[in-house]
Amino acid sequence: MRETSTLTPQTSRLQHYYPWLIVGAGLLVLIVVNGLTTSSLSVFDEVLTREFRLDRPQLKTKESITNAVAALFILMSGWLIDRVGVRALLLAGMGFMTLALGLYGFIQKTWHLYALHVLLGLGLVTAGSVPVIILVSAWFRRQRGLALGLTLVGTSLGSAVFPPVLTHLIQSQGWRSTFWLLAALPVMLAVVVAVVVRNSPANVGGTAWGDQDNVLETPETDLLHAGMDYRDALRTPMFWLISACGLLSFFGVVGLTSNLFLHLRGLNFNAGAAAGMLSLYFVLALTGKFAISSLSDYVNVYAVFTACFVGLALGAAGLAFFGSGGIAWAVGLTALSWGGVFTLYNVLIVRTFGLKAAGKINGSINFWESTGSFLGPIVTGWWFEQAGSYRPAFAAIAGALGVAAVLSLFFRKLKPVEH
């Protein structure tokens, strides 16, 4: 039964604003975890290629291993989220990240490199966007789009900040010492998670943001218990439509971004300029994530979702066919459009299925996203070796994203269950 006692003026202030502390913690988690498991590490590609004499498919296998591990373990992660809560998984993720980054500076053989990307994959699956989205959603009844937009900025902010910083550190400190410095970040973040993060308002005797009655939540009434059962979700066409779009979009975007640095180098950008362009991509992506997600509380998300997919396909085509003079426009359109697709995609998942079985549902959908993320870098790298250019691979990615844009038209025909 729901408690009827309300927050007193003396105790309510911190509890009332606690949801925004959760947003801040989630933002920091995604800055570090996504920033150091995805495209930021591509600035090490040239030194790793020279050190271990790798061809392009061998080099890009490391990213595919990270995403393959995420795909293999995401269902277990989803089950654990529903079983033990997000906080425990985030702490485990910080442990995986610390080990991987700390040991990276000691690698001597190619298989060492691949083994550490297994750890990075475990870090991504236990402390990446899926658990953080579930965490933040549990704290907001109103303005959930804004909250998720602010949080998901972290998936791009880390990748915007880290490339130029890492490039400077590689040149001044050496690539091995740079990894040892990075290993301190998840350690500090683990302290933040342990002190701040709680799974739901019921854990601190507070209320979700937007609860107009300002009534204390209980474990039985908080948002973690609203929504579809897992089996019911699997029976809906929306589940499979979302999964198909996730597979195509992550295949395309991860394939593009993991190879963008090397593509720019091939267009005669120097290392600093290429890293700067990579940072620009993620700055614009985070801008798109925040702006479009914030609007999702007030606009028809389905029309905007489709428009973003169209922009993403056009941007990928520009990356395929523009020379160095027009590449900035293609990077900008791709980044802004991906920001919109990524955030609206996650908003729609929560709106459609709720949080009752969010770990398993989001984990199952993320399996298809991770499969796309696994295939994207390695297929794009292989295609480069065959063609001697990224143009055919990037053109094929533009086509895949165009198919996703067509599929997104059907989203609006399937009315979600609002939670």
Side-chain angles (χ1 to χ4, degrees), residues 23-285:
V23 167
L27 173 66
L28 291 175
V29 167
L30 293 181
I31 287 173
V32 172
V33 174
N34 283 62
L36 296 178
T37 57
T38 54
S39 300
S40 293
L41 295 186
S42 66
V43 300
F44 291 90
D45 282 353
E46 287 187 318
V47 294
L48 293 175
T49 297
R50 290 194 298 268
E51 185 88 11
F52 299 104
R53 298 180 181 178
L54 303 175
D55 62 26
R56 204 61 57 91
Q58 290 174 320
L59 177 68
K60 289 292 125 182
T61 295
K62 60 187 176 62
E63 281 104 331
S64 289
I65 288 173
T66 299
N67 294 311
V69 170
L72 289 172
F73 286 94
I74 190 62
L75 296 179
M76 180 181 293
S77 170
W79 180 83
L80 288 171
I81 289 171
D82 294 334
R83 187 83 174 180
V84 303
V86 170
R87 182 173 179 265
L89 260 71
L90 294 182
L91 290 171
M94 296 306 105
F96 290 128
M97 292 292 296
T98 302
L99 280 174
L101 296 171
L103 293 174
Y104 220 120
F106 294 101
I107 60 175
Q108 299 296 330
K109 298 180 179 180
T110 303
W111 74 264
H112 297 164
L113 175 69
Y114 294 158
L116 291 183
H117 276 265
V118 172
L119 288 177
L120 287 175
L122 292 173
L124 181 61
V125 79
T126 53
S129 59
V130 170
V132 170
I133 287 166
I134 293 171
L135 172 68
V136 171
S137 297
W139 284 83
F140 286 83
R141 294 183 185 274
R142 186 173 56 86
Q143 293 186 304
R144 184 182 286 165
L146 173 62
L148 287 175
L150 284 169
T151 307
L152 292 174
V153 160
T155 60
S156 294
L157 185 57
S159 296
V161 171
F162 284 126
V165 174
L166 295 179
T167 300
H168 172 74
L169 288 173
I170 291 168
Q171 294 171 349
S172 62
Q173 305 295 323
W175 69 271
R176 294 182 185 274
S177 296
T178 299
F179 274 111
W180 296 331
L181 292 171
L182 289 177
L185 293 178
V187 174
M188 294 185 288
L189 190 55
V191 176
V192 174
V193 170
V195 172
V196 173
V197 171
R198 298 297 181 268
N199 293 327
S200 75
N203 296 134
V204 295
T207 62
W209 185 262
D211 189 335
Q212 295 179 349
D213 296 329
N214 207 34
V215 177
L216 297 176
E217 303 285 357
T218 69
E220 293 76 26
T221 63
D222 65 26
L223 289 169
L224 290 176
H225 291 82
M228 286 188 186
D229 291 322
Y230 181 59
R231 290 183 179 180
D232 292 336
L234 292 180
R235 296 189 185 103
T236 64
M238 189 70 162
F239 174 88
W240 297 105
L241 190 60
I242 287 174
S243 297
C245 284
L247 173 67
L248 291 169
S249 60
F250 277 79
F251 167 80
V253 171
V254 177
L256 288 172
T257 56
S258 66
N259 288 277
L260 181 59
F261 182 83
L262 293 174
H263 177 56
L264 294 171
R265 294 288 282 142
L267 294 176
N268 296 319
F269 283 72
N270 63 42
M277 189 67 73
L278 195 61
S279 290
L280 174 65
Y281 172 91
F282 287 105
V283 167
L284 293 175

Side-chain angles (χ1 to χ4, degrees), residues 277 280 284 315 318-319 322 325-335:
M277 189 67 73
L280 174 65
L284 293 175
L319 289 174
F322 287 171
I327 202 73
W329 292 101
V331 167
L333 180 59
T334 303

Side-chain angles (χ1 to χ4, degrees), residues 145-146 149 288-301 304 343-344 347 351:
L146 173 62
K289 287 174 183 178
F290 174 68
I292 295 174
S293 183
S294 300
L295 289 173
S296 70
D297 293 317
Y298 311 103
V299 301
N300 183 337
V301 295
V304 178
T343 51
L344 293 183
V347 167
R351 285 191 182 185

Side-chain angles (χ1 to χ4, degrees), residues 348-364:
L348 288 171
I349 291 173
V350 175
R351 285 191 182 185
T352 303
F353 303 113
L355 298 176
K356 184 177 182 180
K360 292 188 283 290
I361 293 171
N362 287 42
S364 297

